[in-house]
Amino acid sequence: MIQITNKADCCGCTACASVCAHKAISMEPDALGFLYPKVNKEKCIDCGLCEKVCAFHSNYDKTLNLQEPKVYAARHKNMHEIETSRSGAAFIAISDYVLKQGGVVYGAGYTDHFRVVHKRATTKDERNEFKGSKYVQSDLRDIFPRVKEDLRHGLIVLFSGTPCQTAGVASYIGKRLREKLILVDIVCHGVPSPYVWKDYLNYLEKKQGAKIQEVNFRDKQRFGWASHYESYKFPQETKITTNFTYLFFRHLMSRESCGKCYYSNTIRPSDITIGDFWGWEKTDPLFNKDNKGCSLVFINTAQGDTIFNLVKQDLNIIPAQLNNSLQPNLQRPSDTHPKRIKFEQDYQKKDLNMF
C-alpha cells in the first residue's frame, strides 16, 4: 500500500486513489490544504496498484517522447483570444479543435467562491473558465475516473494541467486508452496552498466589507502581459495588490514536492507544453511587438505534432531554438524557500494576520 512518510514524495495527483477498486484510499488535506493519500487498512487488500500507478519519480514514462521537442512561438490570429488569455492563446486553438470534434476538455476552473478545481467542459463557454493563470493547486478528486469514462465512450479528451497532473492521469489511463487522450501541461513554477488562497480571499473581503465578484491572478488587460498584479473585483471597486503573488514567487507556500519536481526539464510528460514565452525577442524581435502576449509551445510527442499541425491555421507561429526557450523551470525545480516550514507553522498559529 502507498504510504507517504515524506511529503516531498507526493504531488497530490490522485492517481493512487483513483486506481483503487476497493475505495481504500482517500485524499485528505494537510494544514495548508494540499491533498495526500490516506489508506483505510480495513479496505486495503495490499494489491500494490497504488504504488505501481504513481508517476512522481525520475522514471516516469518517456517512451512516447520525441528525441528533442519541437519549439515554437505562437499567437492566436484572433486578438480577442490573446487579450483574454494569459499568454498567446495557444491553448484556445488546441481546445477549440477538440471541441469541434465533439470532444471534451479538462482544465482548472473555480467552484465554491473561487476554490480552484479541475472541471469538464464540452462548450467554448465552459472552456473559457480555464483561461488565465490560477496560482493554486487544483483539486482533482474524481476527475481521473471521469477522463477514463469519456475515453471508454470513444470521445477525444484534452486534459490540461501541471506536468505532475498530466503524468498522473497518463499513468492512470494506461496505454490502451491513450490514443484519444491529448495531454497539455504548463511550464510550472510550483503550486501554492489552497488554504492560504481561501483565507486570503476571506481577509480581503473582511477588510473591504464586501464579497469578491471576480479574481485575476495576473491582470493582463489592466497592466500588460508581463505584469504580476492581482485584481479583485468588488461591487463598488476593484482592488489591486501583489501580496499573494509575493508569497508565490518566493515559494513560501508551495507544495513540498515542487522543490524536487521530476518534470522540470525538456522531457515533458505530455504531448504539448505551453507557457509564457519569456525571451521571445531572441526568436523574432517583431513577433510580439505589441507586447500583448506570446505562447511558448513545446511539441513533445508524435501525437502532439499531429494535433499542432491541425490547429496551425488558427495561430501565427514561428520555429524557435530550444536553447533560446529554456526558462528556469524547464531546467530545474523552483528553490523551496528556506523558511517554508516556518511559514506553515506560523500560518497554523496566526492564520492571515501576516498580511
Side-chain angles (χ1 to χ4, degrees):
M1 72 183 71
I2 197 160
Q3 292 182 311
I4 306 301
T5 56
N6 182 349
K7 285 187 174 182
D9 293 333
C10 175
C11 65
C13 76
T14 75
C16 58
S18 300
V19 81
C20 182
H22 297 273
K23 308 296 182 184
I25 302 175
S26 58
M27 300 298 295
E28 303 294 335
D30 70 355
L32 292 180
F34 294 117
L35 299 178
Y36 291 89
K38 182 178 180 181
V39 178
N40 182 332
K41 294 182 179 180
E42 292 182 359
K43 293 183 178 180
C44 178
I45 63 169
D46 208 16
C47 66
L49 282 178
C50 56
E51 295 172 308
K52 184 178 180 181
V53 79
C54 180
F56 191 65
H57 49 72
S58 59
N59 293 320
Y60 61 92
D61 185 17
K62 310 175 185 72
T63 58
L64 298 178
N65 286 72
L66 303 174
Q67 187 171 0
E68 185 175 278
K70 298 180 180 180
V71 186
Y72 298 93
R75 281 167 51 105
H76 206 286
K77 290 180 179 178
N78 184 331
M79 184 53 68
H80 172 74
E81 298 294 1
I82 293 177
E83 290 175 343
T84 56
S85 297
R86 180 53 254 162
S87 50
F91 171 73
I92 297 304
I94 300 167
S95 54
D96 274 350
Y97 166 78
V98 172
L99 293 173
K100 286 176 184 176
Q101 306 309 306
V104 298
V105 179
Y106 287 85
Y110 296 112
T111 191
D112 301 333
H113 199 52
F114 305 113
R115 185 169 71 89
V116 181
V117 298
H118 255 65
K119 302 175 82 171
R120 180 181 186 270
T122 58
T123 68
K124 289 184 179 182
D125 284 343
E126 291 173 341
R127 182 280 318 275
N128 286 344
E129 189 177 337
F130 306 157
K131 289 183 176 183
S133 301
K134 297 174 181 69
Y135 293 150
V136 182
Q137 183 166 41
S138 63
D139 190 330
L140 280 169
R141 281 178 288 195
D142 301 324
I143 290 294
F144 286 10
R146 295 184 71 186
V147 171
K148 180 174 281 189
E149 182 180 4
D150 284 334
L151 292 169
R152 283 175 170 165
H153 282 90
L155 297 175
I156 298 174
V157 176
L158 168 59
F159 180 92
S160 61
T162 61
C164 59
Q165 291 174 334
T166 61
V169 74
S171 182
Y172 169 74
I173 293 300
K175 293 289 179 67
R176 187 174 63 85
L177 293 173
R178 185 70 170 82
E179 183 180 350
K180 290 194 173 184
L181 176 63
I182 303 165
L183 297 175
V184 175
D185 70 30
I186 59 171
V187 181
C188 180
H189 298 264
V191 289
S193 159
Y195 281 3
V196 173
W197 169 242
K198 178 186 70 174
D199 287 342
Y200 183 55
L201 294 181
N202 290 338
Y203 162 83
L204 291 174
E205 290 178 337
K206 183 177 180 181
K207 185 177 180 181
Q208 195 69 15
K211 297 291 285 185
I212 294 172
Q213 298 176 325
E214 184 178 320
V215 302
N216 194 328
F217 285 87
R218 283 172 60 186
D219 196 329
K220 173 180 175 178
Q221 292 182 316
R222 282 188 177 85
F223 301 103
W225 174 50
S227 73
H228 288 87
Y229 289 94
E230 313 146 30
S231 65
Y232 303 88
K233 183 180 178 181
F234 291 89
Q236 301 300 323
E237 62 180 319
T238 297
K239 288 292 186 180
I240 309 300
T241 181
T242 58
N243 288 334
F244 196 81
T245 301
Y246 177 90
L247 293 178
F248 169 59
F249 279 112
R250 278 148 187 79
H251 311 293
L252 273 163
M253 57 175 177
S254 295
R255 192 179 183 101
E256 290 188 46
S257 59
C258 297
K260 61 181 290 186
C261 177
Y262 297 103
Y263 316 109
S264 297
N265 54 57
T266 58
I267 309 174
R268 310 294 289 183
S270 305
D271 299 300
I272 300 173
T273 297
I274 57 176
D276 290 303
F277 196 163
W278 306 122
W280 58 270
E281 301 91 340
K282 297 177 183 177
T283 297
D284 184 336
L286 300 178
F287 189 67
N288 183 41
K289 62 182 179 181
D290 60 7
N291 203 36
K292 290 194 174 184
C294 180
S295 292
L296 172 67
V297 179
F298 273 30
I299 306 302
N300 304 311
T301 67
Q303 174 158 281
D305 198 30
T306 297
I307 296 299
F308 195 64
N309 283 324
L310 290 170
V311 306
K312 278 182 178 179
Q313 70 270 12
D314 293 331
L315 299 167
N316 292 313
I317 63 170
I318 51 175
Q321 296 296 317
L322 183 62
N323 59 2
N324 286 335
S325 313
L326 293 179
Q327 303 176 22
N329 288 98
L330 290 170
Q331 301 177 72
R332 59 186 179 276
S334 297
D335 292 328
T336 301
H337 196 284
K339 293 185 178 180
R340 158 67 175 75
I341 301 301
K342 182 67 164 57
F343 172 86
E344 181 173 345
Q345 293 169 345
D346 287 347
Y347 169 75
Q348 292 181 72
K349 295 175 183 176
K350 303 175 184 178
D351 292 327
L352 289 193
N353 292 328
M354 61 189 74
F355 286 110

